[in-house]
Amino acid sequence: MKFCSLRSGSSGNAIYINHKDVHILVDAGLSGKTIENALRSIGVDPHSLSAILITHEHRDHIIGAGILSRRYNIPIYANKATWEAMKRGIKEIKDDNRRYFATGEIFEIGEVKIMPFKKPHDAAEPVGFSFKAGGKKVSIATDLGYMTRGVANNLMDSDIVLLEANHDVQMLINGSYPWPLKKRILSDVGHLSNDAAGETLLKLFKMKTIGMVFLGHLSKNNNRPELAFYTVTSMLKKEGLKFNVKIALREIESEIIEI
Ligand SMILES: [Zn+2]
Ligand SMILES: [Zn+2]
């Protein structure tokens, strides 16, 4: 399998996953042009995309999905509640390209087995995804207020995990956001902090159940890549754990990881 975070953050999310002839985009939360250029920069022709999977209807996850679907005739996959909630955001999609999955039930695209799992976030029916193919596993969990046992179970045994490290709690509290927005981000249906990401990874690395990690969906105003990296890795170092942690940035493609 191949994995590349094209963009990750509240300014837009798009993750590329590939196995053999299956090319999947998880979320399309940037302009069609930006996503096309990002794909081309890693050598992927947008025409070859097999599917766009949607985690939830927030703008930073869907804004380019309709455009790409119409331009390249790509099916979009989402659960029923998300389809309903993103109707206006992605505009007209032809029937054939409207695909449904049920949260908690595995579905397949080619040889890739996909598990959409529930996560706590303030959207209609938000999900994360695990992908299994060729004996490997990749999991994506961003946009969640706290780490549930269900999400953690789905992250286990992944060769690659993209996990949210949205904000530094002190930066958020002391920052310029209005209080209701701060409260939303800190709530159980908001976003995962650097500390919370660190605690999750501490458990997962301790159990030796994950390979490498990308920290993603970093806030522009309430985090910094070095700070997210430092916070998480110092927690892991303290326990003497071996780890492989990278950052998925908001403006640029990550390296392409092949497993
Ligand atoms: Zn988001
Ligand atoms: Zn969201």
Side-chain angles (χ1 to χ4, degrees):
M1 280 174 112
K2 276 186 198 162
F3 168 95
C4 179
S5 166
L6 301 175
R7 297 288 187 275
S8 185
S10 42
S11 46
N13 297 274
I15 314 298
Y16 170 74
I17 287 173
N18 161 245
H19 175 69
K20 294 185 181 167
D21 57 345
V22 178
H23 304 269
I24 296 172
L25 200 58
V26 179
D27 290 332
L30 301 116
S31 74
K33 262 267 128 336
T34 305
I35 295 173
E36 285 167 7
N37 289 339
L39 283 168
R40 290 204 178 98
S41 80
I42 60 161
V44 177
D45 181 347
H47 285 101
S48 68
L49 285 179
S50 325
I52 300 171
L53 271 52
I54 304 293
T55 58
H56 64 298
E57 73 276 17
H58 288 163
R59 194 187 150 82
D60 57 320
H61 298 262
I62 65 158
I63 200 70
I67 297 151
L68 292 174
S69 175
R70 288 184 289 275
R71 193 171 291 160
Y72 300 103
N73 193 25
I74 308 164
I76 298 177
Y77 290 70
N79 58 40
K80 224 175 181 175
T82 302
W83 268 114
E84 194 55 37
M86 68 182 180
K87 240 193 310 200
R88 276 196 319 190
I90 63 167
K91 311 226 171 71
E92 207 50 52
I93 302 297
K94 65 178 191 183
D95 284 351
D96 204 32
N97 284 336
R98 276 173 178 276
R99 309 281 173 91
Y100 292 82
F101 59 74
T103 304
E105 284 178 27
I106 293 170
F107 64 101
E108 290 175 21
I109 300 177
E111 289 175 23
V112 184
K113 285 191 166 50
I114 304 161
M115 173 60 155
F117 55 86
K118 193 177 148 190
K119 64 184 183 185
H121 190 55
D122 54 358
E125 193 180 321
V127 297
F129 292 110
S130 280
F131 300 86
K132 279 188 188 171
K136 302 287 179 185
K137 181 176 176 185
V138 175
S139 299
I140 297 177
T142 67
D143 301 75
L144 65 166
Y146 68 103
M147 182 53 62
T148 66
R149 191 180 294 178
V151 172
N153 283 341
N154 279 288
L155 300 185
M156 274 184 210
D157 302 320
S158 298
D159 299 278
I160 302 173
V161 171
L162 171 64
L163 180 65
E164 173 164 64
N166 177 259
H167 56 275
D168 175 79
V169 175
Q170 282 314 314
M171 272 182 88
L172 175 67
I173 289 172
N174 298 325
S176 62
Y177 280 11
W179 177 239
L181 182 55
K182 290 182 184 176
K183 225 165 74 179
R184 185 222 146 209
I185 294 170
L186 290 167
S187 79
D188 278 358
V189 288
H191 290 277
L192 214 60
S193 69
N194 295 342
D195 289 326
E199 274 163 32
T200 301
L201 294 176
L202 202 57
K203 287 181 195 146
L204 291 171
F205 276 115
K206 236 182 211 169
M207 296 190 289
K208 296 192 175 67
T209 56
I210 51 170
M212 66 182 302
V213 172
F214 279 89
L215 301 174
H217 213 294
L218 270 63
S219 165
K220 188 180 184 180
N221 298 299
N222 305 310
N223 210 351
R224 280 192 304 272
E226 324 78 71
L227 181 58
F229 183 81
Y230 175 80
T231 305
V232 168
T233 56
S234 44
M235 289 168 82
L236 301 172
K237 269 184 201 157
K238 222 188 261 172
E239 298 283 328
L241 295 167
K242 277 208 174 110
F243 57 84
N244 187 355
V245 175
K246 297 172 187 289
I247 305 279
L249 293 170
R250 58 174 50 244
E251 309 283 4
I252 190 86
E253 302 83 45
S254 72
E255 58 190 297
I256 304 165
I257 308 291
E258 197 165 353
I259 50 170

